[in-house]
Amino acid sequence: MTEPALQVKSLWKIFGPNAEKLIGTPDLQLSRKELQTKSGHVIGVRDVSFDVAPGEVFVVMGLSGSGKSTLVRLITRLIEPTSGEVILDGQDITKLSDPALREIRRNKVSMVFQHFGLLPHRKVIDNIAFGLEVRGEGKDSRRNRAQEMVDLVGLSGYERNFPEQLSGGMQQRVGLARALAADPAVLMFDEPFSALDPLIRRDMQNEVIRLHHEVGKTMVFITHDLQEALKLGDRILIMRDGAVIQIGRPDEVVGAPADEYVRDFVSEVPKSHVLTLRWVMREATGTEAAGSPVLQASTIVRDAARAVLATHGPVRVAEGDRVVGIVDDEDILRVVVAEDAS
Amino acid sequence: MSTAIAPPRAGVKEEQPYVDPTKKRYTGRKLLGLVVVWVALWLVVKNRDTLELPFAQTTGLHTWLNDFRDSIEGSGQSNWFMKYVIGGISAALNGIITALQGLLSTAVFPRPVPEIGWLGVMALIGWVTYALAGIRSTILVLVCTFLFGVFGLWQFSIDLLIITFVAVFICVIIGLPLGILMARNQRVSAVVTPVLDLMQTMPSFAYLTPMALFFGIGPACAVAVTLVYAIPPLVRITEHGIKSVSANTIEASRSLGLTSRQLLRQVQLPMARRTIIVGVNQCTMAALSMATIAALVNGPGLGKPVVSALQTLNIGAAFVGGLAIVLMAIMLDRTTTAASERAERRGGHTDVASVGGPGVVKNIVWLERLPRWASEEGYESPPRKHLSNAGRRFAIGLLVVPVLIAVVLSRTYLSLAQFGSFENVPVLSFLSGPKLASVVNTVVRSFVDAVDTFTNGFKEVVTVWFLNPLQALIATSPWWLMALVLLAIAYFLGGWRPTLVTAVCEAVILGTGLWNDAMVTLTMTLVATLLVMIIAVVLGVGMGRSRRVDVIIRPFLDAFQTIPAFVYLVPALALFGPGRFTAIVAALVYAVSIATKLVADGIRGVSPTTVEAARSSGVTPWQMISKVQLPMAREALVLATNQGLLYVLSMVVIGGMVGGGSLGYIVVAGFSQRELFGKGLAAGLAITALGVMLDRIARHAAARYES
Amino acid sequence: MARGTRRLTLACVAAALALGLSACGGGTIQNATAPTGGSGTAAACGDLRIAVNPWTGYVSNAHVIGYVAKTKLGCNVTYSDLKEEVSWQGMASGTIDTVVENWGHNDLIKKYITDGKTVEDAGPTGNDGIIGWYVPPWMAEKYPDILDSANLNKYADLFKTSESGDKGQLLDGDPSYVTNDEALVTNLKLNFKVVVGGSEAALIESFRSAEKNKTPLLAYFYEPQWFFSEMKLARVKLPAYTDGCDADPKTIACDYPPYKLNKLISAKFAASGSPAVGLVKKFQWTNDDQNLVSTYMSRDNMTPDDAAKKWVDANPDKVAAWLK
């Protein structure tokens, strides 16, 4: 396996006056509420570790108050972590000096915010070029780069407008373009679309998917919207009360929830849209399906349904060349119908 | 997307951080109980330990202050600090102002007129206004300055402008960096804020003489006292502006790797610019009002004709001077506002004007939400054509030529240099100073003659039935009982923090040796504040509910907030005779404005949805006011009370001139009589302590309401 | 920020330019048009900076002297409105040349004249200063015996107000004036309470209202005062003043001393050799003269300069005596 683009190792954030002293004490085993009553400290992020592979879209998902926004801010130290390591580009970010940290922020990691964080007194193009300007790039080169970004996110023609003259979706495109302009190794999104209305949100999600195809950046994406997580994420981290509940691919999260909390959470997800054949196939007993069509185990149930239903008898499921199981109409319908019934 | 995730059900609900449920406090019952106990005790122990100090007597502190003054006077020439630092500063200020006066307003012997005559000055003023604020403001400014001439107050007006501008200029140089520093450094803010509180609560009379001690009488001293008064609003508003730059933007900028200098220069300052200009506006207004009072230490300006009109009880002449000051305030206010709107034409717009005046002793700066029609945009409904930037610059450049011609002409012809008299010009003659003054005199005198029996009767009733009993209770309670009562009130209303402040303030008042006078002043302050709130609620509800009422009343409120109190002292005396009630009336006139505006603001701020919902359930207008609008504007009412209180306190000294007695009179006397210097200073300190105490109690009570 | 700053700079630069240019522009208005009258003496006189204390009688003195200095001597006269103590300070520091009506002030005399030697006595103004207790004319007429302080207690009930409670009210004055009234009331065993009016305006308005509505009033007041030409107030006699009877403020029980009002000049100015020094020193007139000028201003609303001119034009002999 290649070197991860981003590594987070047992990261903690405790809010309160003596947070450092609590690390390593048994108090940390207490629940949030107990700890707050006992010592006035609040746990924001509790012992979180994960790796993100280069080019991966890694989604952190949780309800408000679960610590996901804190987590993403710990990574670039917009909030100082209490303990733990964040390895990016071979450096432990938690140990960097201020100037070194600024270099990282200027060149390696960019962030897109829920409320955009644009500068109202600057035009669109100058907002996008802002990051380049602060790292000292010349006017021409940053203008050119910004113009590229304007075209990339589809804002051509709006360069000279002020942010307040744009709709929310367009403002977030500016935010996106500003993040991309620095050509960072890792892009971070903090609930970037939750302030937008549903149709625009879907457009923007597609936009992110498109950009991911085009520029292939590593992305860490924070959301409270499970649909969004399932749609965008290569892998999903589910948080609750600051701690990791489960990390896995979308179908793993839906197919094998780690606990009741996650199960309850994913119960209303249309499973046929997420689960792959791997989750519905039965063991191949031998020859019964010989000669039937072969589908890959990673095929999503919904996409496989037509082929399976059109075939009399079971269909073979393969991982690569090796047949690993079979599915028949009933297996498919169980998933689809169960959904309608709920 | 039809299957959007359902909102989390109860089972999945996350745990929110643990919050204490608010306890019920029964504040009303506790206060009632307190009053019962207090009155009962008072009946037993009244007139004991009241710490009365006869007027002519002084305490050790007072004589010590006198001696201190003497030693400064004595060492004035020999002490290097006094000679070189203070002396240098005041010589520089005097030099600059005298030079500007010689240039613009005052004849420098042997030349019979200033270097630039009125035509040239007007042209210059108009041209600068056009460059900064645009054509509307320019017209307003030109009309106003012309009227100054017609009133016969040309030189005084230009002098006042000079003092105001020099003061504001210094304010900006000192105040802007200080405000920025405070916004970025919590510790600096914690140290400076109480100092600003003191500067704003300390009655200006109390520091007039000490300032004169250091800076000598004249322009330098006028600028110095003006600074004390005008810097705080600028510093506060600058701090507020920088602090209130949205956290999202700051975070986004930090994530881009900005250094803190870049953050300040490229994000915070540009985004706070509009607010900072509001701060400059407030600073200018404060400087204007203080520069008027500075006439008492021979500060040049419009205060002079007003003060000397007071000596001959010439109501009309004082009125004309006051009118000129109001016009100048309007002109400066509109110009700075227009300049800030122009600056921000593209980058968003906030309908705010700051609530200025003495004792905006708030950590948070309260910005008054203007009704839409009252802001510049309101009456510009169809977008007007603006010149492009290049076009404007061209126009400004082109206009230099006529301005120069006007300047040269005003140096050539005496009639263009010296404002003539308009007493014989048709129409305008009615506006000429003496004519206008005599009309006002006649009108006011006949009005007074018609109603003075009635008004005096009214005064008697309020004094006998209301003021005297309350004063008996407060001022004849033994000091220790009164101190305990105040502590208890502070505790019930605001918790232990204001109680602590109250204890300190009580100690200060005791230390000044003026406890009894302070209690008399406290009584008047409370009565005045109560009356202020009654009037403010009546007017404010009317204004908040009806635009037409607002349009009619607001200009009067603005005028009464700006006009120097000296102008209405004589009519008030004529109507009510000297006494504590008259002092209360003087305070009312000044404080009602701000309280009314805040109440109107609160009423208007009630959400239209709520009003609509209430209307749809069929409430009567009275129910709408009493059950919906006033309760929902509760926060504004508390704020209005707080501000009303501080404005009333700032008038205590003026009240001393019309029979208010107690602390106010001692301050005035300390200003005039050598032997009472120390006592007057101590009285100023006591007023400040009263102000801080009342403000903290009100502020903490308000904070409870808000939470 | 940049845009606004640039505009401001532009405005400043251009304003400076305009001012600079104006300096080369003209000077066509002849400087010689300034002083009229005393031809050659103009340069010799120079500045005369008169402090103006806050009462009208003082303003009369100041502007009559100022008017004569300006028109006859060609001085450049400036007036500074100042309280008394501040004026003394001003003379000591050299920003004020003269005070033209001084009421006693033994402490200041000691500090500045005797010890500091920065201020000099410039002789009497000819006015007699009287301080005392007064009632409006109608009262003097109706209750003739009220004019003796011994009878005041008999009438105390008349003077009750809401300010004084169950005692009679004695209305006090402008905070500038030193009073012994609290001690007097105690030591003369009067059933009165001192209530502070707070300003001269408060006193005058009270007298006006009392006379108009025939309401009782007893108040601290003083002469010369322009108000006497509007209303002849009657003075209440207190136990006669004898030298030193007011030495101890605690036991004081006698009337206020009569004041011989005088003028003061700063030592620096006295040594300057300006002809205005002689004018200030020789200036003398009567209470009636002063009241007349004051009345021009207060009743007829004339400007101080117009009032001074009117009196000067009508009294050439007196003026000539000052200029000898």
Side-chain angles (χ1 to χ4, degrees):
Chain A
M1 200 180 156
T2 51
E3 184 79 0
L6 174 70
Q7 254 185 309
V8 171
K9 293 182 187 168
S10 58
L11 203 56
W12 283 85
K13 176 65 195 182
I14 301 165
F15 295 102
N18 289 312
E20 274 80 11
K21 293 194 182 136
L22 280 176
I23 294 294
T25 66
D27 276 358
L28 294 185
Q29 304 311 317
L30 297 171
S31 79
R32 257 189 185 183
K33 186 171 172 178
E34 286 165 343
L35 184 69
Q36 188 182 4
T37 332
K38 184 172 172 194
S39 65
H41 289 75
V42 177
I43 296 185
V45 167
R46 181 194 288 264
D47 197 16
V48 170
S49 306
F50 61 86
D51 293 351
V52 181
E56 185 180 14
V57 178
F58 187 83
V59 174
V60 179
M61 143 80 220
L63 296 177
S64 63
S66 62
K68 57 188 189 308
S69 288
T70 309
L71 175 62
V72 77
R73 281 165 176 73
L74 294 178
I75 293 174
T76 54
R77 277 173 58 192
L78 289 174
I79 297 176
E80 287 294 332
T82 311
S83 77
E85 291 177 13
V86 176
I87 315 276
L88 186 126
D89 203 26
Q91 308 180 74
D92 182 358
I93 291 193
T94 59
K95 303 208 166 43
L96 293 181
S97 65
D98 276 359
L101 178 63
R102 267 203 300 276
E103 281 310 305
I104 292 280
R105 289 179 182 166
R106 288 177 178 187
N107 299 306
K108 301 283 191 220
V109 190
S110 291
M111 195 156 163
V112 179
F113 294 86
Q114 179 177 6
H115 297 292
F116 323 140
L118 302 177
L119 302 177
H121 57 284
R122 288 170 160 251
K123 295 184 185 123
V124 164
I125 187 104
D126 295 327
N127 260 295
I128 295 174
F130 189 52
L132 306 174
E133 184 181 334
V134 300
R135 73 185 188 200
E137 278 188 33
K139 190 162 185 176
D140 286 341
S141 84
R142 66 175 194 248
R143 279 268 166 142
N144 290 337
R145 174 74 182 157
Q147 189 61 48
E148 282 173 36
M149 293 303 117
V150 166
D151 299 338
L152 184 67
V153 299
L155 279 176
S156 310
Y158 292 99
E159 298 88 339
R160 316 244 138 240
N161 287 53
F162 284 92
E164 61 155 19
Q165 298 166 319
L166 304 181
S167 68
M170 288 165 86
Q171 291 194 32
Q172 193 56 293
R173 283 171 196 262
V174 179
L176 203 53
R178 178 178 62 187
L180 286 169
D183 195 21
V186 178
L187 266 176
M188 310 233 258
F189 296 82
D190 178 27
E191 301 203 41
F193 309 139
S194 28
L196 307 178
D197 64 50
L199 281 179
I200 311 240
R201 193 185 309 162
R202 194 175 60 186
D203 282 351
M204 293 300 292
Q205 288 163 355
N206 293 335
E207 185 77 16
V208 168
I209 292 171
R210 181 179 71 83
L211 286 171
H212 186 239
H213 283 304
E214 281 185 31
V215 298
K217 300 277 181 213
T218 308
M219 295 183 178
V220 176
F221 198 103
I222 309 294
T223 183
H224 65 261
D225 178 351
L226 184 60
Q227 285 289 338
E228 191 168 81
L230 296 172
K231 181 172 180 179
L232 298 175
D234 292 326
R235 281 191 303 147
I236 300 173
L237 185 162
I238 296 182
M239 280 185 91
R240 182 191 184 194
D241 286 356
V244 176
I245 306 287
Q246 186 172 9
I247 301 181
R249 293 193 309 277
D251 55 325
E252 285 173 335
V253 170
V254 174
D259 65 1
E260 272 306 307
Y261 178 78
V262 181
R263 188 188 310 286
D264 208 3
F265 223 112
V266 300
S267 62
E268 295 200 3
V269 173
K271 298 200 171 50
S272 60
H273 291 203
V274 180
L275 291 184
T276 56
L277 291 181
R278 184 179 296 119
W279 296 97
V280 297
M281 68 186 186
R282 286 171 290 143
E283 221 166 291
T285 50
T287 57
E288 61 207 290
S292 64
V294 177
L295 291 171
Q296 287 297 313
S298 59
T299 316
I300 299 208
V301 172
R302 187 179 54 175
D303 301 335
R306 185 172 299 273
V308 175
L309 293 178
T311 314
H312 290 286
V315 167
R316 284 178 294 172
V317 180
E319 300 245 21
D321 295 339
R322 198 169 58 86
V323 172
V324 291
I326 54 166
V327 284
D328 59 14
D329 298 2
E330 204 178 319
D331 298 322
I332 298 289
L333 289 174
R334 203 168 48 235
V335 178
V336 176
V337 173
E339 232 157 62
D340 289 346
S342 67
Chain B
M1 290 308 285
S2 52
T3 49
I5 292 287
R9 284 165 297 173
V12 206
K13 197 172 170 196
E14 47 166 336
E15 288 169 32
Q16 289 294 348
Y18 177 72
V19 181
D20 239 343
T22 18
K23 278 176 276 177
K24 232 181 162 352
R25 290 206 180 86
Y26 302 110
T27 308
R29 278 181 229 180
K30 285 182 194 163
L31 288 178
L32 193 68
L34 175 70
V35 170
V36 171
V37 174
W38 177 17
V39 172
L41 275 174
W42 171 74
L43 287 173
V44 183
V45 294
K46 65 179 163 186
N47 286 328
R48 267 186 244 167
D49 303 334
T50 55
L51 304 186
E52 246 175 293
L53 183 72
F55 179 72
Q57 274 181 39
T58 50
T59 71
L61 173 76
H62 307 160
T63 38
W64 181 82
L65 285 169
N66 279 352
D67 293 345
F68 180 69
R69 180 250 339 251
D70 291 345
S71 76
I72 289 192
E73 280 177 353
S75 69
Q77 299 309 314
S78 51
N79 182 309
W80 68 268
F81 180 76
M82 284 293 291
K83 192 170 175 184
Y84 295 107
V85 181
I86 302 284
I89 292 173
S90 75
L93 283 175
N94 279 330
I96 292 169
I97 289 164
T98 318
L100 283 171
Q101 279 182 303
L103 193 63
L104 302 171
S105 71
T106 316
V108 180
F109 189 77
R111 194 179 156 81
V113 288
E115 290 294 332
I116 303 179
W118 67 266
L119 184 72
V121 172
M122 265 180 78
L124 281 171
I125 291 177
W127 183 75
V128 171
T129 313
Y130 180 70
L132 290 175
I135 188 71
R136 276 162 176 266
S137 306
T138 311
I139 294 169
L140 177 74
V141 165
L142 289 181
V143 169
C144 286
T145 37
F146 185 72
L147 281 176
F148 298 152
V150 176
F151 290 160
L153 298 170
W154 176 261
Q155 184 188 333
F156 293 123
S157 308
I158 301 301
D159 279 349
L160 183 56
L161 270 181
I162 291 173
I163 294 284
T164 307
F165 274 113
V166 170
V168 170
F169 184 74
I170 299 173
C171 279
V172 171
I173 289 181
I174 302 174
L176 211 56
L178 187 59
I180 292 171
L181 193 64
M182 285 169 70
R184 293 160 64 85
N185 186 330
Q186 197 53 48
R187 215 169 291 162
V188 176
S189 176
V191 173
V192 176
T193 305
V195 178
L196 297 182
D197 282 358
L198 285 188
M199 286 162 83
Q200 284 187 302
T201 340
M202 186 97 177
S204 42
F205 268 83
Y207 53 78
L208 276 180
T209 349
M211 280 290 188
L213 203 59
F214 286 105
F215 291 96
I217 46 173
C221 185
V223 169
V225 294
T226 307
L227 283 184
V228 173
Y229 187 67
I231 277 192
L234 179 68
V235 175
R236 276 178 208 282
I237 297 176
T238 303
E239 183 191 10
H240 168 75
I242 294 206
K243 273 189 177 164
S244 57
V245 169
S246 129
N248 293 319
T249 314
I250 302 280
E251 187 173 51
S253 306
R254 283 178 62 207
S255 87
L256 289 169
L258 268 73
T259 61
S260 76
R261 177 183 288 264
Q262 282 173 324
L263 190 68
L264 177 67
R265 281 185 50 96
Q266 306 201 18
V267 179
Q268 289 173 312
L269 275 181
M271 288 184 72
R273 182 163 83 185
R274 169 76 195 234
T275 315
I276 292 175
I277 296 182
V278 170
V280 174
N281 167 301
Q282 283 309 297
C283 173
T284 314
M285 294 294 113
L288 185 66
S289 64
M290 193 61 209
T292 310
I293 294 181
L296 295 172
V297 284
N298 200 26
L302 281 168
K304 287 190 161 190
V306 173
V307 170
S308 58
L310 192 64
Q311 284 158 28
T312 54
L313 281 72
N314 190 336
I315 300 172
F319 174 82
V320 176
L323 186 64
I325 291 168
V326 171
L327 285 180
M328 190 172 290
I330 293 173
M331 143 188 149
L332 291 175
D333 182 43
R334 281 285 97 199
T335 308
T336 42
T337 309
S340 78
E341 267 158 14
R342 149 155 308 167
E344 210 73 358
R345 183 151 281 146
R346 295 214 156 274
H349 170 69
T350 42
D351 285 323
V352 295
S354 158
V355 175
V360 183
V361 190
K362 281 248 146 195
N363 276 331
I364 322 146
V365 179
W366 284 90
L367 297 173
E368 183 185 0
R369 277 192 303 277
L370 291 173
R372 183 168 164 68
W373 57 267
S375 68
E376 275 276 300
E377 260 82 312
Y379 34 159
E380 288 182 7
S381 28
R384 288 182 296 115
K385 272 185 214 154
H386 291 293
L387 285 176
S388 70
N389 265 344
R392 277 178 41 76
R393 236 169 275 154
F394 182 70
I396 293 167
L398 211 62
L399 282 171
V400 171
V401 177
V403 168
L404 286 182
I405 293 175
V407 168
V408 171
L409 285 179
S410 77
R411 290 175 57 79
T412 315
Y413 299 102
L414 197 61
S415 64
L416 297 179
Q418 219 163 19
F419 231 102
S421 162
F422 283 78
E423 270 175 271
N424 301 315
V425 182
V427 186
L428 280 182
S429 69
F430 291 105
L431 286 176
S432 74
K435 279 239 173 109
L436 191 56
S438 73
V439 170
V440 172
N441 274 328
T442 321
V443 171
V444 174
R445 282 292 164 200
S446 54
F447 174 75
V448 166
D449 286 346
V451 300
D452 66 344
T453 349
F454 168 75
T455 49
N456 272 303
F458 182 68
K459 170 192 90 169
E460 290 293 309
V461 171
V462 175
T463 310
V464 170
W465 291 105
F466 201 51
L467 195 51
N468 284 349
L470 188 62
Q471 179 170 327
L473 181 60
I474 291 180
T476 64
S477 284
W479 71 268
W480 41 268
L481 176 60
M482 198 54 219
L484 286 175
V485 167
L486 287 173
L487 286 174
I489 290 175
Y491 183 74
F492 291 155
L493 284 178
W496 63 269
R497 286 178 61 154
T499 313
L500 207 66
V501 176
T502 303
V504 173
C505 291
E506 283 174 346
V508 170
I509 296 173
L510 277 174
T512 60
L514 299 168
W515 178 269
N516 190 260
D517 289 292
M519 290 307 115
V520 175
T521 300
L522 177 66
T523 312
M524 292 198 301
T525 308
L526 294 179
V527 172
T529 309
L530 184 70
L531 292 175
V532 163
M533 284 316 292
I534 292 172
I535 301 174
V537 166
V538 172
L539 292 181
V541 166
M543 286 169 68
R545 286 168 57 87
S546 154
R547 176 186 158 165
R548 192 173 307 159
V549 176
D550 195 319
V551 172
I552 296 169
I553 295 182
R554 193 170 281 267
F556 287 98
L557 298 181
D558 286 341
F560 278 120
Q561 228 176 322
T562 335
I563 203 162
F566 297 133
V567 174
Y568 47 81
L569 287 190
V570 176
L573 281 169
L575 285 174
F576 301 106
R580 283 162 297 155
F581 181 76
T582 317
I584 290 176
V585 169
L588 276 186
V589 171
Y590 185 53
V592 154
S593 309
I594 186 70
T596 305
K597 285 181 184 176
L598 288 170
V599 172
D601 188 23
I603 297 286
R604 206 178 296 114
V606 173
S607 130
T609 327
T610 316
V611 173
E612 205 167 38
R615 192 172 296 137
S616 76
S617 54
V619 299
T620 62
W622 171 246
Q623 286 171 322
M624 176 72 87
I625 294 171
S626 63
K627 294 194 188 307
V628 180
Q629 288 174 322
L630 278 181
M632 287 190 72
R634 191 174 59 181
E635 207 180 303
L637 287 179
V638 175
L639 175 62
T641 314
N642 182 350
Q643 289 299 298
L645 196 72
L646 292 169
Y647 273 58
V648 165
L649 262 176
S650 74
M651 290 291 283
V652 162
V653 176
I654 299 288
M657 297 180 175
V658 290
S662 59
L663 292 182
Y665 179 72
I666 298 174
V667 172
V668 179
F671 175 65
S672 311
Q673 289 179 40
R674 198 174 160 73
E675 317 77 66
L676 292 176
F677 171 87
K679 194 172 182 183
L681 207 57
L685 207 61
I687 294 176
T688 312
L690 268 186
V692 170
M693 178 176 90
L694 293 174
D695 173 61
R696 290 308 151 108
I697 295 176
R699 205 195 293 179
H700 281 91
R704 281 199 175 174
Y705 263 119
E706 281 158 22
S707 63
Chain C
M1 211 60 187
R3 242 182 327 141
T5 320
R6 205 178 309 136
R7 189 178 306 121
L8 193 66
T9 321
L10 182 80
C12 290
V13 167
L17 188 76
L19 297 183
L21 277 176
S22 77
C24 339
T28 331
I29 294 174
Q30 291 305 308
N31 290 343
T33 54
T36 50
S39 48
T41 51
C45 180
D47 288 339
L48 174 60
R49 295 163 298 179
I50 307 177
V52 181
N53 291 352
W55 59 91
T56 314
Y58 189 108
V59 177
S60 304
N61 285 25
H63 280 263
V64 167
I65 292 178
Y67 180 78
V68 172
K70 191 156 59 181
T71 53
K72 312 287 187 207
L73 301 177
C75 307
N76 175 39
V77 182
T78 49
Y79 303 98
S80 301
D81 292 304
L82 300 169
K83 293 271 186 178
E84 294 150 273
E85 190 199 332
V86 188
S87 320
W88 284 77
Q89 262 177 35
M91 284 189 292
S93 66
T95 53
I96 289 296
D97 295 327
T98 178
V99 163
V100 293
E101 180 178 301
N102 174 55
W103 290 63
H105 290 299
N106 288 329
D107 56 331
L108 292 169
I109 288 174
K110 176 171 167 8
K111 181 170 162 61
Y112 292 105
I113 299 185
T114 320
D115 298 346
K117 303 206 191 311
T118 46
V119 176
E120 293 176 9
D121 184 353
T125 64
N127 295 140
D128 294 320
I130 305 170
I131 293 179
W133 297 355
Y134 293 81
V135 292
W138 77 268
M139 283 198 93
E141 210 170 292
K142 188 163 175 192
Y143 314 102
D145 60 340
I146 208 171
L147 297 181
D148 186 340
S149 63
N151 299 326
L152 276 177
N153 273 343
K154 194 167 81 182
Y155 295 103
D157 277 358
L158 269 183
F159 294 100
K160 270 191 205 166
T161 68
S162 56
E163 293 293 317
S164 61
D166 52 0
K167 296 179 174 178
Q169 169 180 295
L170 168 59
L171 191 64
D172 256 33
D174 187 310
S176 297
Y177 301 103
V178 182
T179 82
N180 310 322
D181 288 358
E182 272 183 356
L184 282 173
V185 166
T186 315
N187 298 335
L188 295 175
K189 301 198 171 48
L190 296 177
N191 189 23
F192 276 75
K193 184 183 172 196
V194 174
V195 170
V196 285
S199 57
E200 189 183 72
L203 295 177
I204 293 177
E205 280 302 328
S206 299
F207 275 119
R208 276 182 177 160
S209 161
E211 180 68 12
K212 182 171 86 81
N213 301 322
K214 301 285 178 275
T215 47
L217 177 69
L218 174 68
Y220 171 102
F221 212 61
Y222 28 74
E223 301 175 57
Q225 225 291 347
W226 62 268
F227 187 60
F228 280 85
S229 59
E230 178 179 323
M231 196 180 289
K232 279 280 171 224
L233 303 177
R235 182 160 172 228
V236 175
K237 257 201 335 232
L238 291 166
Y241 174 82
T242 52
D243 258 349
C245 74
D246 55 354
D248 181 2
K250 288 222 172 76
T251 58
I252 193 165
C254 60
D255 210 340
Y256 289 90
Y259 288 92
K260 284 284 173 211
L261 304 187
N262 65 332
K263 300 150 288 180
L264 307 164
I265 54 175
S266 82
K268 241 186 238 168
F269 179 65
S272 71
S274 160
V277 176
L279 169 65
V280 172
K281 283 188 171 167
K282 287 180 201 142
F283 169 83
Q284 272 203 5
W285 64 355
T286 65
N287 279 13
D288 285 343
D289 287 330
Q290 193 198 56
N291 283 344
L292 189 60
V293 177
S294 301
T295 309
Y296 289 155
M297 288 188 278
S298 54
R299 194 192 60 206
D300 308 335
N301 289 332
M302 291 172 80
T303 66
D305 268 345
D306 290 345
K309 180 177 188 310
K310 187 167 172 182
W311 187 88
V312 168
D313 290 348
N315 296 277
D317 302 346
K318 288 188 180 172
V319 174
W322 306 338
L323 292 168
K324 263 181 210 152

